Each structure stands twice: as C-alpha cells, then as structure tokens.
Amino acid sequence: MEIKTIETHPFEDQNPGTSGLRKKVKTFQQPNYLENFVQSIFDSLDDIVDQKLVLGGDGRYFNRQAIQTIIKIAAANGFSELIIGQGGLLSTPAASNLIRKYKAYGGLVLSASHNPGGPDEDFGIKYNVGNGGPAPEKYTQAFYRRSKEIASYKIAEIPDIDLDTVGNQKFGTLTISILDPVNDYAELMQTIFDFDLLKQSIGSGYITLKFDAMHAITGPYAKTILEDMLGAKPGSVINAVPLEDFGGGHPDPNLAHAEELAEAMFGPNAPTFGAASDGDGDRNMIMGSQIFVTPSDSLAILAANASLIPGYAKGISGVARSMPTSQAVDRVAAQLNLPCFETPTGWKFFGNLLDAGKITLCGEESFGTGSDHVREKDGLWAVLFWLNLIARKRQSVADIVTEHWQRFGRDIYARHDYEAVATDIADGIVASLREQLPALPGKAFGDYIVEYADEFAYTDPIDGSVSKNQGIRIGFENGSRIVFRLSGTGTVGATLRIYLERYEPDSNLHDQDAQSALAPLIELAEQFCEIKKRTGRNGPTVIT
C-alpha cells in the first residue's frame, strides 16, 4: 500500500485531560486536527511496528469517520493488526478486555464518555496502554509535547474499511479483524458471576429489572446479557439502540438524566432492580424499588459482600477510592482488615494498584466502579454484581443498603455540580480557597470544627510518581468533609464540583434526606467558595 506524508502545523489545544482529548465535534473536524493528535500518540510510543492495536468507540457522531482515518494512519505507522468492534462499536471496558485478552500493544477508545453527542456536541479520543488501562500522565504529557511540535503525519492510501461485517480483511501486511463487540465481554462476565443463579432468579420472577442504556453503547451488551442470556423479559432494556446523538439526551446515568428509569423505580409496581449506564459503558447508576444507591455506598456494599460472588469468593486483596468519594468503603476496609487507598480522580490512578495486586475493587463517586478483571471502570459489571448479590442474599436493594448502614454507619453524601462556569471565575474561586487554607484548622463554624484544610496530593505507592493540586479538602473533627474540585471532563468553561459528606453512626438517624442532613455543610461550602455570589446562580446545575 502507498504511504503518504502530509505536512501539517501544530494545534495548541491538544492537551489530554484525565480521560483523553475531548473537544467539540467541529474542533475534531478541522483539517488535520484528528490526524495530528493520532500521529502525536504514535510518535510518542516505542516499537509499534508489527504490533496489534484495538480500536472502537461509543458510536457517537463522528465515530465511524474517525475510525476510518485512524485505520489509515495506523497502517502507515506499521501496525500489523487492528482489532475493531463491529460497526466501530466497543464499550470502554470491552476495549480494555480485548487489549488484555489478545495481548495488544494498546488501544484507541473514541468517546467523550457521559458528554452529549451530535454534530454540535462532544467527541473524544484516548489511548489505553498494554494493561488495558488509560494512559498514565507520563504518556499523555508526551502526546501533548509532541502535538505542539508536529510537522507531518503519515497516512496509507487504502479504501474505507467495511466495519459492519465480522471477519478479517487484509491490506498488504496489515490484518484488520472485525469482531462482534459483545462476545468476548459476555464470556468474561460468565467467569465472574453465577449466571445459573441469575437465570433462575430472573426466570422465577424473584428479580424483575429495568436497564436504561440511554441510547448509548451498553444497549447491545445489555440486550445480549440481560435479556438473551439471563432471560429478562423483552423490553427490560430500554433505549437500547446506540444513536449518534444518544437520542438527543445526555448519556450521564444520574437521577436527572435517566429520568424515565427514575420515574419507574420510584413509581408504583417498580421492578426489583433498576440501573443505567453512560455513553461509553463504564459508569453505572444503581436503584431498587423506591431507592437510589449512591455510587460511594455502592462501592462499599460491593466490597463488604465480595466473597458472595464466584469471581471473588477467595477474598479481595484491598480497595481504593478516589479522594472525593465518600469514606464509606474505608469503614468496610477497616472492619475487614483490608488495605484501602485514596487516589486522585481518574481511573488511571487505580491501574498501578491493580497491576501490583494491591487492590481488587475500586471506585469513584462519579458513578464508576470496577475490579481487577479489566483496567477500566465497568458499568454492566457493576449491574451484574448487584443482581448476583440480590439473588444470593435474597434481599431487596433497600434491605441490602439498610443492613449495610446498620453494620458500618451511613456516610450521608451529595455532589453539587456547577457546570460551564466561566474559566476566570472558576480559577478565581480556587485561588481564593487556597488562600484560606492555612488559617482554617482549629476554626469553629457552629458545630463544625476544622481539623484539616489542604490541597490533595498523591504519591503513587508503586512507581513513586507525584500528582499535585488534586482538589481542596476541608475536614472537620466530627468526620464531615467538604471537597472542591475543578473537573477536567467538560468541553465548555469549567465545572466546579462540591462534595459534601457527613458520617452518621446512629441507625435511628439513617433515614434522613441527604440534602436536609447536609444543609449546614452546604451553607459552609458557599461561605468558603462564594460560587453563587460570584456567578449569580441560584444553585447547582446537577445534584447527585
């Protein structure tokens, strides 16, 4: 095949965030923009000639066109085999599994996760390394450095590939393998969970369920596993067909955006179990009849009950959570005498701990949980874990949560997001918070006495790398916390996230409404950061 070298010029804005490079579709559609970034990735990697690369995405707008371009650049740069999901589709955890199963050099995942899709919305691309996990910072920094100096890219002159037919295609020394995107992932799930028990529990009617795929990537996975393999009634998976614009919705699995599911689960005759996943399939929302389970509680409950699941029957080696995630899992780890790690936000920080065997389960408050079966968070895995628990414990979701709180206490928790804040205002808020930190310890604010106030930094216990400026923490002597953090996953302005947590050991007080119980902390948070005052807003964009 003929290979062309195309002259180009650098773009200054190709700095990957915690989950790759995310921009508006129109930004990626600029001449040479996608090509530059992909070539910058390949230029920054060692020994890629004759290697395998996994490629796929969440099906959002521009996914298919981007894959065709990437195939040609990968061919020109010497990859010998490309493993691609049929139709260009792969959930993020499924891509991680393929990298690991087929011992690929790495993979490119095309997604902007839970961000909206469509011609005027978001697109993203991230590189996953050979362990199946997101590229660590040393890689993403190298990609960015290269993107600022790139002068040309290589591209093979081959026709567009048939992405829709399973099988192999050859172009010179290059093999392109189109795989069913679900098969390998479904096989993996069968090695972890008790599918026979689940089939019996669903078939008998003990478990009824509703899963909202939000017109995103998990539709085909959930239809195959939940309906075809486990016998859930047809229609149990709603919004099951992946659409380029996610049906005009926002594929973020929370109570605000998965409104249809929430109405069903809080309505009359609610199913036993409800769940939703996001754009690329790595997040999950867990619900039962008349109850929403916070992601922080979900992680703690999975850790406390892991030995009931076949894949974890021998026990787990440890747990980890992102810093803003509630301390609920810490309490489980303390009682079970397990190591517990606190990391910055971003799944890549769990990778070293998982590879070193230090942890088995990990999670983030942003609706992400996972384990050592892949190196990404995994939405459908969490759904199957919960279904397996319900079937094994013979309890409702509400009873499982209540029992957990009675044993470990409840961390009453909420996250308030202020989205699309002007960058200068957001930066000013953070600067002001930093200035306040030294004087806060020892100060009393009503019943809340500040025990510590700092900016979180993390030293990786495996490779010694240091990550600074990972969020501002204000902790109180009664165990409560307020955390402030600017999110790196949006494409417009900045998102300020405020995390509020109060520990309640008294089981008589576990049934409180979270926003009411957290009202004093919500007032304190505004006193510290003045987000309403500085932006003129009445309240957060989203509360979870």
Side-chain angles (χ1 to χ4, degrees), residues 313-375:
K314 294 179 180 176
I316 58 178
S317 60
V319 294
R321 63 167 174 85
S322 66
M323 181 273 287
T325 301
S326 94
Q327 299 161 99
V329 76
D330 304 42
R331 305 184 201 288
V332 173
Q335 277 204 36
L336 301 184
N337 199 27
L338 291 170
C340 182
F341 297 86
E342 182 181 38
T343 72
T345 296
W347 207 259
K348 58 191 174 185
F349 292 103
F350 295 135
N352 278 353
L353 296 169
L354 289 163
D355 285 348
K358 298 287 188 185
I359 62 171
T360 305
L361 300 182
C362 45
E364 299 183 327
E365 50 68 41
S366 52
F367 294 81
T369 33
S371 84
D372 58 0
H373 69 290
V374 290
R375 292 298 179 269

Side-chain angles (χ1 to χ4, degrees), residues 40 81 93 112 114 136 140 153 223 282 285 292 349 360 378 431:
S40 296
E81 183 177 357
H114 54 293
T140 56
Y153 63 87
K223 288 279 284 186
D282 63 357
M285 178 172 73
F292 160 72
F349 292 103
T360 305
D378 188 346

Side-chain angles (χ1 to χ4, degrees), residues 183-302:
N183 284 349
D184 293 280
Y185 178 83
E187 286 177 10
L188 177 63
M189 292 301 103
Q190 288 177 279
T191 69
I192 300 172
F193 302 108
D194 190 339
F195 271 42
D196 289 336
L197 175 63
L198 288 173
K199 277 190 277 191
Q200 186 277 324
S201 298
I202 291 170
S204 69
Y206 180 74
I207 293 177
T208 54
L209 65 94
K210 185 180 285 286
F211 179 89
D212 189 351
M214 306 189 84
H215 288 303
I217 192 63
T218 50
Y221 293 84
K223 288 279 284 186
T224 296
I225 295 173
L226 299 177
E227 293 189 8
D228 299 345
M229 297 176 72
L230 296 179
K233 289 180 181 177
S236 295
V237 179
I238 61 173
N239 302 317
V241 178
L243 299 175
E244 288 191 334
D245 66 348
F246 306 117
H250 192 152
D252 191 357
N254 58 44
L255 294 172
H257 297 308
E259 188 177 1
E260 182 180 354
L261 175 71
E263 282 185 10
M265 298 309 298
F266 283 111
N269 305 311
T272 311
F273 178 80
S277 192
D278 69 327
D280 67 330
D282 63 357
R283 296 178 186 226
N284 69 90
M285 178 172 73
I286 301 298
M287 301 185 73
S289 176
Q290 317 305 319
I291 186 171
F292 160 72
V293 185
T294 73
S296 296
D297 277 344
S298 181
L299 172 62
I301 289 166
L302 301 191

Side-chain angles (χ1 to χ4, degrees), residues 1-313:
M1 54 189 159
E2 185 178 346
I3 295 172
K4 277 191 167 183
T5 300
I6 308 293
E7 290 186 4
T8 187
H9 65 274
F11 293 88
E12 293 301 314
D13 63 346
Q14 294 191 332
N15 187 10
T18 56
S19 298
L21 184 68
R22 292 183 185 172
K23 302 288 180 184
K24 291 297 180 186
V25 167
K26 286 181 168 55
T27 299
F28 272 101
Q29 288 176 324
Q30 295 175 89
N32 296 347
Y33 192 91
L34 172 67
E35 293 86 343
N36 274 25
F37 188 63
V38 173
Q39 186 67 59
S40 296
I41 292 173
F42 293 160
D43 285 349
S44 304
L45 301 173
D46 297 325
D47 303 321
I48 61 173
V49 174
D50 293 330
Q51 298 283 2
K52 293 179 188 175
L53 183 75
V54 170
L55 178 59
D58 61 14
R60 67 177 57 235
Y61 188 86
F62 195 56
N63 190 77
R64 292 179 75 99
Q65 302 95 308
I67 285 176
Q68 296 289 359
T69 299
I70 293 167
I71 288 169
K72 294 166 187 174
I73 298 174
N77 279 271
F79 283 96
S80 62
E81 183 177 357
L82 302 181
I83 300 172
I84 304 173
Q86 185 180 18
L89 299 176
L90 276 178
S91 77
T92 292
S96 180
N97 177 49
L98 290 179
I99 293 168
R100 295 168 65 79
K101 180 173 181 176
Y102 294 108
K103 297 180 169 54
Y105 184 92
L108 289 172
V109 181
L110 309 184
S111 173
S113 188
H114 54 293
N115 294 7
D120 298 316
E121 298 296 351
D122 298 344
F123 187 76
I125 178 170
K126 72 170 181 174
Y127 179 71
N128 282 32
V129 294
N131 75 345
E137 284 185 65
K138 67 179 180 180
Y139 285 86
T140 56
Q141 289 168 358
F143 303 159
Y144 182 43
R145 286 195 300 271
R146 179 60 183 155
S147 77
K148 292 194 291 186
E149 61 189 23
I150 192 169
S152 65
Y153 63 87
K154 292 185 286 187
I155 192 161
E157 290 205 306
I158 57 176
D160 281 357
I161 304 304
D162 174 8
L163 297 174
D164 298 311
T165 304
V166 170
N168 293 341
Q169 303 168 53
K170 292 277 289 187
F171 294 89
T173 59
L174 174 67
T175 299
I176 296 175
S177 301
I178 307 296
L179 303 182
D180 182 299
V182 177
N183 284 349
D184 293 280
Y185 178 83
E187 286 177 10
L188 177 63
M189 292 301 103
Q190 288 177 279
T191 69
I192 300 172
F193 302 108
D194 190 339
F195 271 42
D196 289 336
L197 175 63
L198 288 173
K199 277 190 277 191
Q200 186 277 324
S201 298
I202 291 170
S204 69
Y206 180 74
I207 293 177
T208 54
L209 65 94
K210 185 180 285 286
F211 179 89
D212 189 351
M214 306 189 84
H215 288 303
I217 192 63
T218 50
Y221 293 84
K223 288 279 284 186
T224 296
I225 295 173
L226 299 177
E227 293 189 8
D228 299 345
M229 297 176 72
L230 296 179
K233 289 180 181 177
S236 295
V237 179
I238 61 173
N239 302 317
V241 178
L243 299 175
E244 288 191 334
D245 66 348
F246 306 117
H250 192 152
D252 191 357
N254 58 44
L255 294 172
H257 297 308
E259 188 177 1
E260 182 180 354
L261 175 71
E263 282 185 10
M265 298 309 298
F266 283 111
N269 305 311
T272 311
F273 178 80
S277 192
D278 69 327
D280 67 330
D282 63 357
R283 296 178 186 226
N284 69 90
M285 178 172 73
I286 301 298
M287 301 185 73
S289 176
Q290 317 305 319
I291 186 171
F292 160 72
V293 185
T294 73
S296 296
D297 277 344
S298 181
L299 172 62
I301 289 166
L302 301 191
N305 293 281
S307 62
L308 300 178
I309 305 299
Y312 310 103

